[in-house]
Amino acid sequence: MRKFKTESQKLLDLMINSIYTNREIFLRELVSNASDAVDKLYFRSLTDGSIELGKDELEIRVAFDKNARTITVSDTGIGMTADEMEKNLGTIAHSGSQEFKADNDFSDTDAADIIGQFGVGFYSSFMVAKNVKVVSRSYGSDEANVWESDGVAGYTISAGEKEGHGTDVILSLKDDTDDEEFSEFLSEWKLRSLIKQYSNYVRYPIHMLVTKSRELPKPEDAGDDYVPQYEDYLEDEVINSMTPIWKRRKSDVSDEEYAEFYKSDFHDFVDPQSTISVHAEGALSYDALLFIPGRAPFDLYSRDYEKGLALYSAGVLIMDKCADLLPDYFNFVRGVVDSSDLTLNISRETLQRNSQLRAIAQKVEKKIKGELEKMRDNDRDGYEAFFDNFGRSIKFGIYASYGSKAEELAPLLLYFSAKEQKYVTLAEYIEAMGEDQKDIYYAAGESVDRLGKLPIVKTILGKGYDVLLCTEDVDEFALQAMRTWQEKELKNVSTNDIDLASDDEKKVAEETTEANKDLFEAMQEILGASVSKVEVSPTGMEAPARLTAVGQMSMEMERILAQGPGDSMARAEKVLQLNAQHHAFEVLKEAHEAKDQAKLRLYTDLLYNQAMLVEGLPIDDPLTFAEEICKLM
Ligand code: ADP
Ligand code: MG
């Protein structure tokens, strides 16, 4: 009996005692080893003229025996000598597990999780097997050897017998317990679905004997009441599909095939809106197949949504959702990346540090952006549909990066134009700007309809300028994070730093404000902390009054934050601006001059509250407001 190396023993202990649901990855690991072994023989045959391989000689086979409780994974690969068995199966030889050596406290659940996700090769067999037997014959040798272990005591290597080169790995499954069932793997259906799930794109055929049913020939003397008889029989079938769709050129694959693959692999019932296929060769070789879904999954903006692309290493699935391959703002993209430059046993930590992976992620991001720009320029309807589904992620990207991603992402934005009554890009907005317009104007609120009716929006449109109407809660935050676009300031029309008035208009407004100082102070007193100032509006408008906000916090932001969790005390600092041309202003002045406190209070309240309502903000006391209106009737 030979002992395992210390590190290997630690890993084995963990495998034997692990209780994950993910233990099914053992099959993926064994198939991948089989595929590696076949690869090695194949590559050797390319350079060694003496090796003649028959056309169908390279294969993998999975079999099970219900009574003996065994699962066997066989290959016709290069095989191992006794020395190689000692070296390869007695120690953790491979790179992925090297990482595990550094991280040697296996008791901690995080480490256990990582095994579940990435596997650690051959030893993962011990998650399901109480005994593992490896019968192998190295190519070119006439003797076979048997490596056998229960994982605990150590292993033995002895002479054995095997026809032909290659390896059989025979697992004797653990006994079922109350908590754990291992017999589930002793089923054709289960093994087949595991092969499909994890090893569908392995380059060599994975054979399995499958049970089929056929009708027995009708006996000659069968009467009229003959009922057809059936029998079960076994047939050899190749389970995996071998050539991954992402390895095929886009010109060779139909849209329907892509759509079918997308729908079945990503569990969607709607065709993808766009399909991006990438084939890179050279310093970094990989294939990628990316999809922009045709609709947003219901949980896209919930905490449970997991972004990521499936990551394959030479056809073997490493990870279902590799988050590092996608930036958050493209979290809606689904797809696959396959690179032979990556090792199979890559752990979550090494993944982040993996420079190849980072380089692929950058390329993937560029491709997605390029595709979106193409769609924006060539298929505007399609792009608008895309943007309705996923524009929010892009806006979040700008906001979350404090604007540092704006350069890249802002060209992808669409906003509803109050003037054009359709979506426009920021570039189109600027293009349409007249010479006298300095800034980009936007209004944020609940609906396009409502925003279009804001007094200030009407005023701006009246000047011939356009206003972008923003109805998503992230809009204002993203635009504020950007601050400017192509040297034009992005200005919220509901804040009072927008500069629409001429110098003359401003001067007149200031003078009128000064002349009515008394009145405004009285009104300010009535309104208390609700407004920080009452003044005459320098910009002409139809409405008698409007509210504007001072500083960073707008009224729409106040509204959004109030809807959020907890009790947001964040308030916009508001200024009540009066229209000095409006009849209401005269009435206020008269009430003040007549020292009619009750009337001044009534009109001030009414003007303030109706301005609040117009801005889409809740008023403090709707009942009193309603009563006040009745008083006027
Ligand atoms: P990895 O595949 O990452 O190298 P494993 O733990 O899966 O690590 O396998 C350890 C080693 O055992 C392999 O590198 C290989 O040399 C050897 N091995 C495992 N399975 C086979 C097989 N079916 N045929 C030949 N060699 C094998
Ligand atoms: Mg392996």
Side-chain angles (χ1 to χ4, degrees):
M1 178 75 51
R2 304 173 206 210
K3 292 264 167 259
F4 286 105
K5 296 265 163 23
T6 328
E7 309 86 336
S8 309
Q9 189 61 57
K10 279 186 186 162
L11 191 54
L12 275 163
D13 289 345
L14 184 67
M15 288 296 163
I16 292 165
N17 301 316
S18 78
I19 41 158
Y20 335 99
T21 47
N22 240 339
R23 57 187 185 208
E24 65 194 29
I25 56 136
F26 81 90
L27 190 65
R28 172 192 83 177
E29 296 296 326
L30 295 182
V31 168
S32 124
N33 285 351
S35 159
D36 288 348
V38 176
D39 258 346
K40 282 179 198 158
L41 182 58
Y42 174 71
F43 284 126
R44 209 208 271 176
S45 76
L46 296 179
T47 52
D48 184 341
S50 70
I51 301 181
E52 268 180 45
L53 295 172
K55 197 171 169 290
D56 305 321
E57 218 177 302
L58 300 177
E59 59 166 49
I60 299 165
R61 184 168 290 277
V62 175
F64 69 100
D65 182 332
K66 237 183 162 137
N67 297 325
R69 289 179 65 79
T70 57
I71 291 174
T72 304
V73 179
S74 310
D75 64 74
T76 55
I78 194 142
M80 281 178 278
T81 61
D83 279 355
E84 284 166 342
M85 282 182 155
E86 167 79 43
K87 195 168 102 245
N88 298 333
L89 305 180
T91 40
I92 305 174
H94 48 81
S95 55
S97 304
Q98 294 290 355
E99 300 295 328
F100 265 82
K101 275 203 276 187
D103 179 8
N104 42 40
D105 180 13
F106 292 138
S107 60
D108 122 74
T109 48
D110 264 3
D113 230 26
I114 290 165
I115 300 164
Q117 284 238 348
F118 308 101
V120 282
F122 173 73
Y123 289 159
S124 62
S125 336
F126 289 102
M127 291 195 289
V128 297
K130 56 182 176 186
N131 178 283
V132 178
K133 211 156 127 181
V134 181
V135 184
S136 193
R137 184 165 144 193
S138 178
Y139 186 87
S141 159
D142 355 295
E143 39 186 75
N145 290 286
V146 183
W147 179 99
E148 189 169 358
S149 171
D150 63 0
V152 185
Y155 58 92
T156 56
I157 296 175
S158 53
E161 267 179 49
K162 179 169 167 41
E163 226 178 274
H165 53 90
T167 305
D168 301 326
V169 179
I170 305 154
L171 310 183
S172 297
L173 293 191
K174 294 185 189 181
D175 301 324
D176 291 343
T177 66
D178 287 346
D179 306 327
E180 289 185 294
E181 203 212 312
F182 297 96
S183 305
E184 61 166 334
F185 297 114
L186 295 169
S187 111
E188 182 184 308
W189 177 86
K190 181 72 182 178
L191 293 174
R192 172 200 276 273
S193 52
L194 289 178
I195 294 169
K196 276 266 177 219
Q197 181 179 357
Y198 292 111
S199 313
N200 199 25
Y201 302 116
V202 166
R203 284 187 302 279
Y204 303 101
I206 303 171
H207 292 263
M208 194 162 103
L209 286 177
V210 298
T211 314
K212 300 222 162 144
S213 176
R214 65 182 159 208
E215 195 180 332
L216 288 168
K218 191 171 165 182
E220 304 236 319
D221 56 352
D224 285 346
D225 56 350
Y226 174 74
V227 186
Q229 303 288 307
Y230 293 89
E231 67 170 357
D232 281 351
Y233 69 102
L234 288 172
E235 191 174 284
D236 190 80
E237 200 176 281
V238 173
I239 309 294
N240 57 330
S241 78
M242 292 191 277
T243 310
I245 191 168
W246 56 85
K247 292 252 184 206
R248 294 164 62 191
R249 302 287 128 176
K250 193 160 187 173
S251 51
D252 298 340
V253 185
S254 68
D255 289 350
E256 288 74 36
E257 276 177 278
Y258 278 134
E260 275 319 309
F261 169 76
Y262 167 76
K263 287 189 285 193
S264 75
D265 249 54
F266 300 104
H267 310 292
D268 201 348
F269 51 87
V270 176
D271 284 356
Q273 192 177 17
S274 306
T275 304
I276 311 165
S277 126
V278 192
H279 307 283
E281 264 154 48
L284 188 68
S285 49
Y286 66 94
D287 300 287
L289 182 60
L290 310 169
F291 298 98
I292 295 169
R295 66 176 186 118
F298 69 94
D299 62 344
L300 180 61
Y301 296 110
S302 83
R303 228 177 280 235
D304 298 331
Y305 181 79
E306 267 185 85
K307 64 163 185 171
L309 300 175
L311 181 62
Y312 285 81
S313 159
V316 178
L317 180 66
I318 300 182
M319 222 180 156
D320 226 11
K321 276 194 180 164
C322 178
D324 296 327
L325 282 169
L326 282 179
D328 283 341
Y329 40 87
F330 292 153
N331 63 350
F332 49 85
V333 174
R334 314 297 307 271
V336 170
V337 167
D338 188 348
S339 171
S340 44
D341 293 345
L342 293 167
T343 64
L344 188 60
N345 286 306
I346 196 164
S347 78
R348 200 175 317 184
E349 281 76 19
T350 38
L351 216 51
Q352 271 158 5
R353 277 186 271 116
N354 188 297
S355 58
Q356 282 136 318
L357 198 82
R358 273 209 309 270
I360 295 176
Q362 271 167 15
K363 294 270 163 57
V364 161
E365 176 176 346
K366 272 218 186 83
K367 283 283 173 190
I368 297 169
K369 195 184 162 218
E371 178 72 17
L372 292 175
E373 283 170 338
K374 216 166 69 191
M375 208 201 297
R376 177 197 64 200
D377 298 339
N378 304 328
D379 170 19
R380 195 53 174 263
D381 287 346
Y383 190 71
E384 288 182 6
F386 153 77
F387 199 78
D388 282 337
N389 280 330
F390 304 114
R392 206 164 154 218
S393 288
I394 296 173
K395 293 170 185 172
F396 260 114
I398 295 177
Y399 170 57
S401 70
Y402 304 105
S404 68
K405 282 275 167 209
E407 200 63 43
E408 285 155 81
L409 297 179
L412 297 174
L413 297 175
L414 290 182
Y415 289 105
F416 194 83
S417 147
K419 194 170 170 185
E420 308 286 336
Q421 287 292 303
K422 62 172 191 185
Y423 274 135
V424 296
T425 62
L426 288 174
E428 287 160 356
Y429 181 98
I430 291 177
E431 175 87 23
M433 271 166 69
E435 288 222 335
D436 58 329
Q437 185 181 349
K438 288 184 300 214
D439 305 319
I440 299 173
Y441 298 113
Y442 66 92
E446 242 168 321
S447 73
V448 159
D449 254 14
R450 197 159 175 167
L451 287 170
K453 287 179 186 143
L454 284 180
I456 185 68
V457 170
K458 285 189 169 167
T459 304
I460 297 175
L461 286 175
K463 283 187 164 296
Y465 305 161
D466 196 0
V467 183
L468 301 172
L469 306 181
C470 306
T471 52
E472 277 188 311
D473 51 10
V474 62
D475 277 325
E476 227 184 328
F477 294 90
L479 289 166
Q480 266 203 12
M482 275 168 72
R483 286 191 299 278
T484 63
W485 181 246
Q486 305 203 322
E487 285 149 47
K488 310 266 184 296
E489 277 193 62
L490 291 156
K491 290 213 165 157
N492 186 337
V493 299
S494 87
T495 54
N496 75 344
D497 75 332
I498 62 161
D499 195 3
L500 288 169
S502 66
D503 287 348
D504 279 352
E505 284 169 327
K506 279 185 229 168
K507 199 163 150 243
V508 172
E510 268 162 39
E511 283 167 4
T512 320
T513 302
E514 187 56 34
N516 294 281
K517 212 169 134 209
D518 260 17
L519 166 66
F520 293 159
E521 272 170 14
M523 289 176 76
Q524 162 87 68
E525 206 159 297
I526 292 167
L527 295 171
S530 307
V531 301
S532 66
K533 203 170 158 194
V534 181
E535 64 182 21
V536 169
S537 166
T539 347
M541 58 181 164
E542 283 170 26
R546 76 177 197 104
L547 283 164
T548 73
V550 191
Q552 288 287 296
M553 176 83 140
S554 75
M555 287 175 280
E556 176 62 8
M557 282 176 165
E558 173 182 323
R559 197 177 66 78
I560 291 165
L561 294 173
Q563 287 167 349
D567 218 2
S568 170
M569 297 306 282
R571 294 271 178 274
E573 186 186 334
K574 302 181 192 74
V575 172
L576 184 66
Q577 287 194 335
L578 299 179
N579 177 356
Q581 313 305 319
H582 200 281
H583 172 67
F585 188 63
E586 291 307 313
V587 179
L588 279 170
K589 262 170 45 177
E590 280 163 21
H592 183 59
E593 273 154 26
K595 299 216 162 27
D596 187 343
Q597 249 334 92
K599 202 172 194 176
L600 183 65
R601 175 173 291 278
L602 174 69
Y603 288 175
T604 303
D605 265 352
L606 277 172
L607 278 179
Y608 169 75
N609 281 327
Q610 61 93 14
M612 285 286 280
L613 287 175
V614 168
E615 290 295 331
L617 294 167
I619 54 179
D620 288 339
D621 188 352
L623 206 66
T624 311
F625 181 64
E627 279 166 13
E628 282 174 340
I629 288 177
C630 288
K631 271 187 219 160
L632 296 178
M633 288 176 143

